[in-house]
Amino acid sequence: VVPGDCSPPRPANPEVQHITNKVKLQFEVRVNWKPDLFNAIIYRTQVVAGIMYYIKVQVADSEYVHLKVLLGLPPNDECPALVSFQTGKTRDDPLICF
């Protein structure tokens, strides 16, 4: 992957689910809502000053959100930060770098 380019979408793995879990509270506070589900489905990465993760997350039976999460470079910035998100997504919406 060329720095600045987004990786192809890949199935979420336990590491991506862990990152997703870490930003769940940040998401809930910003949308003022606690979803029943918060399951990472697919993700893409982008190399920046750290790694930007774009994660498709299932939040209800047929409702999804796209998260943009920055995982900074150790040792200073290891906590993932929810940079941005898009709500109202479906299972079929493509996960794009936004």
Side-chain angles (χ1 to χ4, degrees), residues 14-32:
E15 178 190 359
V16 171
Q17 184 63 55
H18 179 72
I19 291 167
T20 304
N21 294 343
K22 291 271 220 180
V23 298
K24 182 175 190 238
L25 182 61
Q26 295 173 54
F27 175 78
E28 290 174 351
V29 166
R30 284 165 69 175
V31 296
N32 195 24

Side-chain angles (χ1 to χ4, degrees), residues 75-89:
N76 305 333
D77 196 10
E78 293 176 359
C79 277
L82 181 61
V83 175
S84 181
F85 58 88
Q86 298 174 338
T87 58
K89 296 295 185 177

